[in-house]
Amino acid sequence: MADDDGGGGNGRSFGEAEARSVLTAACGGAGFDPAGARMLRLGEHAVFRLGAPVIVRIGRSASYADAAGRELAVSAWLNSSGVPTVRAAAAGADQPLIVDDRVVTFWQAAGDGDSYGTTGELAVLLRRLHSMTPPVGLDLPGFVPFDRSRRRLLDAGHLDEVDRSFLLDRIDRLDDAYRGLRFALPAGPIHGDANVGNLLHDDSGAPVLIDLDGFATGPREWDLILTAIYYDLYGWHTADEYAAFVDGYGFDVMTWDGYPVLRDIRETVMLAWMAQNIGNDEATAGEFAKRMRAVRSGGSRRDWAPF
């Protein structure tokens, strides 16, 4: 269900053909068989599931090798602290790998990959995560809402210049508004892209957090905002599903007076992510155009499709 919110690009083409070439080379170096690998997602990361229960994540740029290393460290910390989280797969090479200027990591698959957690399960895990203190030596970056969005827009080769200017201006206005927010919850470790699309059931049916590359220190409200707008703006969650999320976490971000600003920031981040992918296929380009029309006009988002 989640629109990907991974790292920034390097301006190079990143389609399925390029990703599969990197996959083949990386698997050879790590001792895995790439035959029959199935692509699960192509966004900021290309994500493949191998014939073995292993997930391969290929980032657009090797400049995020440090972030990938931090993701591996976060996984080790959370699992050792009782928060069920995706685990690194044992590979025949040190992770992360760098192949053709792309960063590659290997992970144990969580179940079949098709059974997502519930909003209530996500809320409980977030409440537990938000109560934790990172161990000494694990330095999480400070959260910056538009840290990657400007670069995505500038690198988006297929983006219309009028749309680019509109989104960059919107980012500037919302960045100013963000600095004026007074948060209701204390800052601390956050997942950064918390939604049920990043919560999978393992083979025992237990929920497991995945996609750890957005971990940072920042406002806890950021981890609550996606579930809120998936219900409020897009209708991707029902009222009962959102109520379960609020009950499970113990706070309704929609009642906070900063909600409209954070809502618009999160939506703009999603648009910037999609902008860099509109050259991949007609479906992405069409969805982006539909979203831009709604944002420009203030129209309904109820016909937006999850990407």
Side-chain angles (χ1 to χ4, degrees), residues 110-293:
D112 60 12
D114 295 322
S115 177
Y116 292 97
T118 67
T119 55
E121 290 170 334
L122 176 64
V124 170
L125 284 184
L126 287 178
R127 186 178 63 194
R128 189 185 311 172
L129 168 64
H130 289 174
S131 71
M132 296 169 60
T133 301
V136 174
L138 178 56
D139 296 323
L140 298 177
F143 173 72
V144 180
F146 293 117
D147 183 37
R148 299 160 176 169
S149 297
R150 288 185 177 88
R151 175 50 53 191
R152 287 171 172 164
L153 293 173
L154 293 172
D155 283 349
H158 292 83
L159 182 62
D160 180 86
E161 290 301 327
V162 174
D163 287 341
R164 193 191 322 272
S165 178
F166 175 86
L167 290 171
L168 288 171
D169 287 346
R170 196 169 199 248
I171 285 173
D172 287 341
R173 288 187 285 103
L174 288 170
D175 218 3
D176 287 341
Y178 176 79
R179 284 191 284 270
L181 291 177
R182 292 186 177 184
F183 291 97
L185 303 175
I190 58 173
H191 178 278
D193 194 22
N195 66 88
V196 295
N198 283 333
L199 190 69
L200 294 176
H201 287 142
D202 65 15
D203 290 333
S204 70
V208 175
L209 277 173
I210 66 170
D211 284 7
L212 311 178
D213 54 297
F215 253 80
T217 298
R220 269 58 179 260
E221 288 86 348
W222 187 253
D223 272 353
L224 310 181
I225 199 70
L226 273 179
T227 304
I229 65 175
Y230 284 4
Y231 160 65
D232 182 35
L233 289 184
Y234 313 131
W236 298 346
H237 288 314
T238 66
D240 286 345
E241 288 170 336
Y242 187 66
F245 183 75
V246 173
D247 289 345
Y249 189 84
F251 177 75
D252 184 355
V253 72
M254 289 176 60
T255 65
W256 168 55
D257 62 7
Y259 168 69
V261 172
L262 211 62
R263 174 198 64 201
D264 290 351
I265 289 172
R266 197 61 179 85
E267 182 173 80
T268 305
V269 169
M270 291 164 62
L271 286 167
W273 168 81
M274 180 167 277
Q276 70 181 357
N277 297 305
I278 57 177
N280 288 349
D281 54 68
E282 292 183 2
T284 303
E287 180 67 23
F288 178 78
K290 177 174 65 179
R291 293 186 180 193
M292 287 298 297
R293 287 193 296 270

Side-chain angles (χ1 to χ4, degrees), residues 98-110:
I98 306 298
V99 176
D100 190 24
D101 197 38
R102 318 284 189 183
V103 60
V104 184
T105 51
F106 296 86
W107 301 87
Q108 297 178 22

